[in-house]
Each structure stands twice: as C-alpha cells, then as structure tokens.
Amino acid sequence: MITLHQLDFVTDIMLFLSMAILVVPFAKLIRVGTIVGYLIAGVILGPWGIGQYLGSPFSAPDELRPIGELGVVMLLFLIGLELNPGRLWSLRKEIFGSGSAQVGFSALLIGLVIYFAGLTWQKSLIIGLSLALSSTALSLRILQDRGDRTTPMGQTSIAILLFQDMMIVPILALMAIVAPVPIDTGQRPGWETALIMASTVLLLVAVGRYLLTPLFRLFARIGAREMMTASALLTVLGAATLMKAVGLSSALGAFIAGVMLAESSFRHELEADLEPFRGLLLGFFFITVGMSIDLNFVYQNWVVVLACSFGLMVVKCLSIFSVTRLSGHTPENSLQIGGLLAQAGEFGFVIFSASVAVDLLNPHQSSLLSAIISFTMAFTLLSVWLSQWFGVKLRPEPVKPDIPNTEGGRTNVLVIGFGRFGQLASQMLIAQGSTVTVLDTDAQHIREASRFGYRIYYGDGRRLNVLRAAGAENASVIAVCTERAETTSQIVRMTKTQFPLAKIFARAHDRRHAIQLVTAGADYQLRETLESALQFGREILEELGEDEDRTYEILADVRRRDAELLALQQVGGLYAGYKQFKLPDVPVKPLIKPKSESTALNEPARRLAEAEKKAEKEQSENSEKTSPHKPSSD
C-alpha cells in the first residue's frame, strides 16, 4: 500500500502548513492562544490522529523533533541579540543564584514526592531534575507576546531559563552514573572534556567579535543583503552544532552567538531577517510536541495524567515563588514568574527517551512523564492567567514617599511615561532645575531615567495608589507622556478628578485624541507630530528661498488656524470648521548635565537604576582600557 507520505517532501510541508492555518486561527479566536493551537494541530497530525493513515514521519514524531528544535535555537539566538555582554553580566546573580536555587528546590520537592510514591532514589533524582526544568520556547514566547522581557519579572525568568539550559548536560552526565546500563560517554577524562567545552565557548566569542561583524559590514557595502541572511542562519546553526558536538546544549550555543552580536550595528537587521524563520520553526516545534502525545495512553490514564500535571505545576509554582521572594521580588512578580515557569520543559522528552535506552525508566513510565510534560505545556496559558489574577490580590498599598511640593522654589513635576516623547520633553526641565519624578513600567525607560538625576518610580500610572505613591498629590504639573492613546486618556481623566490642583499636560496621538483630552480636562495637550511637522515645513520653505521672517509669519498663522479649528471641533465634532479653514494639510542621554543624582522611590526602580549605572561604569572602564588616549566626547 502506498501512503500519502511517499508522494514527496512538499506534500508533508503542505500538510503541516494547512493544519496550522486551519487550527491556529481558531485557537486564537476562542482565546486559548496560538501555542495551544499548534499543540492541537500536532495531536491531529500525530500517530493517534490522521498520522496513522499518512505514514512516516507522521506516525513517528521523534523523527521530526530535531527539526522542530531549530525553532528553540532561533528563539535563543534572538534573545541573545537583545542581551549585550554588559547586561548579561548584570544578570549573573539571577542566573547562578535564582536559577540554581530554583532547579535545586524544585528538584528536591518533586524528587521527594516521587520517592515516597515508591520509585528508587535514582529514578526520583533524574525525574526530579528533569521536571524542574521549564519550557524555554514556551516561556520566552509568552514573555515576547506580552512585552515583558525587559521588566524585572521578565529578566529574572530569562535568567532562570538560561541556567536551566546549562543544566541539561550535567543531568545527562548524572544519568550515565546512576543508570543500570552504562552509557558510552567517550574515552576523554573529565578535565579534557571541560577544557574542550571552555575552548569552544571562547572560540564562539572570538568569531562573533572579530569575524562576523567585519563580514556583515562587507556584505552591506557590496549590497548583498541575501548573503547577510545566509550568514546569520549559518552563524546560528553553526554555533548550535558546535556546542552540541562538545556535549553542551545547542540552544545555549545559539544564545552565546546572539550575545556576541548584540553590540553589532547589524543587530536589528539580523533580528528582522531571522524573525520569520523563528516563528515558523517554533510553531513546527509545538506541532511535534502535540504529535508526541499518546492519546490512547492519556485516555486510559486520564485521571493520573491530569492529577500529576496539576500537582507538578502547583509544586513548581510554589518553589519558584519561594526562591524569587527570597531574592527580593515582590509577591506579585514572584507569583507571575512561578505561573510562567510552572510547566515542564521540552528537554524532558530527550532525557526520558535516553532514560528508557539505559533501562532507568520503562516505556510505561516514559509515556506517563511525556504526557505530563505535554499537558503542563498546554495548561501554561491558564497558569499565567491565574498567577496574574491572584497577583493583583497580593499587591500591597505602596508606601507614599515624602516628596515636597517645592524644593528651593523649584516646581515639582510628575512625568508619566519616559519614552521617546517624555525623554525629549524632560530635557528642558534639567536646565530649569525642576524636581522631576518619572513613573514608568518599562525597565529600559527606568534605566534611562536614572541618568537624568530624576526621582524614579517603577509602576503603572493607571493605578491610583501608584500615582499617590509617586507624589501626584504634591505635583504642580503632571505630564502624561504615555504612548498609547487610550492609556493617556485614562490617566488624564483619573488625575483631573483625583488631583484637581495639578495642571495636566498630555501628549496627544492625533487630532481626534487631542479633542478627547481637552474634553477629559487636560490643561494643555500637544499632538506629538505637530511641532516637528511645522518646523519641518518651515525648513522646506527656507530651502525653497522664502524669507526667514515670512516663514515665521506663515508658521504663526498655521498655528493660529490650527488652534481655532481645534476649538471649533471641540463643539461641533471632528469635521467642523473645514469650510471656514483650508489648512496646508542616538542612545538616550541628557543633553544638559543633570544638577542632581537620580533617586529611586521603590525597590524595582532601585534595582534597575543600579544595574544601568553598573553597566555604564563597566562600559566606561572597558573604553578607557581600549582607548586610553581618546578624548572625552563631553
């Protein structure tokens, strides 16, 4: 009998893409997430779905898993591109502190439960360590979708995941020691193996720093864009293959390659070139995970599988919560990290398959553990949602800092949102010497605010207790510079009601939003592109030969007409007034030296500010070592 698979390779790809196109949008529509959609597509394509009629490789998903793991490799490379060596060094305590504590504590709790359930200490040890690892692919995808990678919660989660990736080789080595059947680990002594691994890491560092960047520069100069994409793919796959050849994680190799290119001027182009490959291959990985779920086994043991899956997630969440609380995180952040990393990881499939080969586990036990891993991954979105919901209940009322209304006659200003707009607007406040407090939820923005000599507070400006804690009651001016229009409107309405003595200045997205802000009570609003567009037009007029005085006259006239039209639109709607008027339709740093040091007003802001200052100090020291006679740019 000729199976469908025997037709050609293109047919297989068409089946994968067709199933993903059919199932994933439906999963997104019913709000269970794209990852669960990929898992469901894998179950349908697997050997207990239509795969039994399609033949290999659909009837043997293990053959496809190495291809799917390329998605994990791509994901780790792109994460590495966003973590330059200075920032990675600043995470060393979280990687080796929180990471090691999480793996050790989780493995201890899981191993004890398994041991008292009747398994040997050898099995309990390997299973406990394996289930203590979380899914790198799944967790990082969720962090990326939610935009939380740069928050303290996201940074700690990434640090723990990096340590877990480093633990794969030690677990396999430990399995070789406790397994009944010896594993062929080669004839090299331990010191020689360690030396080879260290040399491989140093080789990747050297190649990334001294070879790849000049190579990309050459391709950019000759206009060979496709060669840059090919070189990026070769870099990722080569680093992953090299690390796997010496016994380390291929994903760890890709991550190191990404870190080495994080300071390259071609970083953003590499990220744009590889993003489509990452998305497709990561989806392919989750499909192969779904294909590995044994539906017959799950059906026969569904009570045990569900109970073990939920029990594992509760144990891991509690252990991670305890570790992160001890490391200084808030209860809310600790619970969110626990909910995010509560699932078992994809490397468990590899470890349990190897355990069967060396007689450490039997096939029945391996099937049960694989089903538990798959179900915990499928329940992760539920776990994340529950941790967010309970996390809100754990939020303490912030302690209100003592922020005087005036200091030496200087005005106190609260800036909510320190992105590209807020940063530029705040430059003038340095020269005037205002007492400025910056409130933001973006970790990078908080780091940047620490350079300006401002008071900094990490928190959500949409929450009334956070606004009060940041000193809104004592502020003479509240400048709402957030990027999303709906967020700005919400904050303006709240601040106008709760803090009527403060003048509300707001950033408007467009004319419609400007009208909404005026209606909400903003004392002053400015469309973010208005002044830059007017100045841009003035420069064009001067270039065309218009007299300078005449251009300023035109500029003033357009401003006046725009203000009058806006006043009409407040009363008559967005289209009012058009018959009466015909309108012509660097790294962030303070430009003026701050007069004071930054002050962190809560613990997350303090940690972010200290990390940024430390990274800048190390970067400055490295620059002085490499260019001792180079004059200061200041």
Side-chain angles (χ1 to χ4, degrees), residues 415-419 438-443 445-446 457-461 482:
V415 178
I416 305 174
F418 202 66
V438 170
L439 175 64
D440 206 312
T441 56
D442 189 290
H445 293 168
I446 291 293
Y457 196 96
Y458 182 89
D460 189 348
T482 46

Side-chain angles (χ1 to χ4, degrees), residues 128-208:
L129 286 171
S130 302
L131 294 181
L133 307 183
S134 305
S135 172
T136 302
L138 182 56
S139 301
L140 292 182
R141 177 66 178 267
I142 293 174
L143 284 176
Q144 183 179 25
D145 290 346
R146 292 170 51 192
D148 284 340
R149 281 184 297 180
T150 59
T151 63
M153 184 274 289
Q155 295 283 350
T156 301
S157 301
I158 290 173
I160 292 174
L161 290 169
L162 288 176
F163 184 83
Q164 291 178 355
D165 285 339
M166 289 187 259
M167 281 297 297
I168 297 166
V169 175
I171 293 174
L172 291 173
L174 185 61
M175 186 174 64
I177 297 174
V178 302
V181 177
I183 300 176
D184 183 14
T185 58
Q187 302 301 319
R188 298 192 190 98
W191 66 268
E192 186 177 341
T193 302
L195 182 61
I196 291 175
M197 291 180 178
S199 301
T200 304
V201 174
L202 291 176
L203 177 63
L204 283 179
V205 172
V207 169

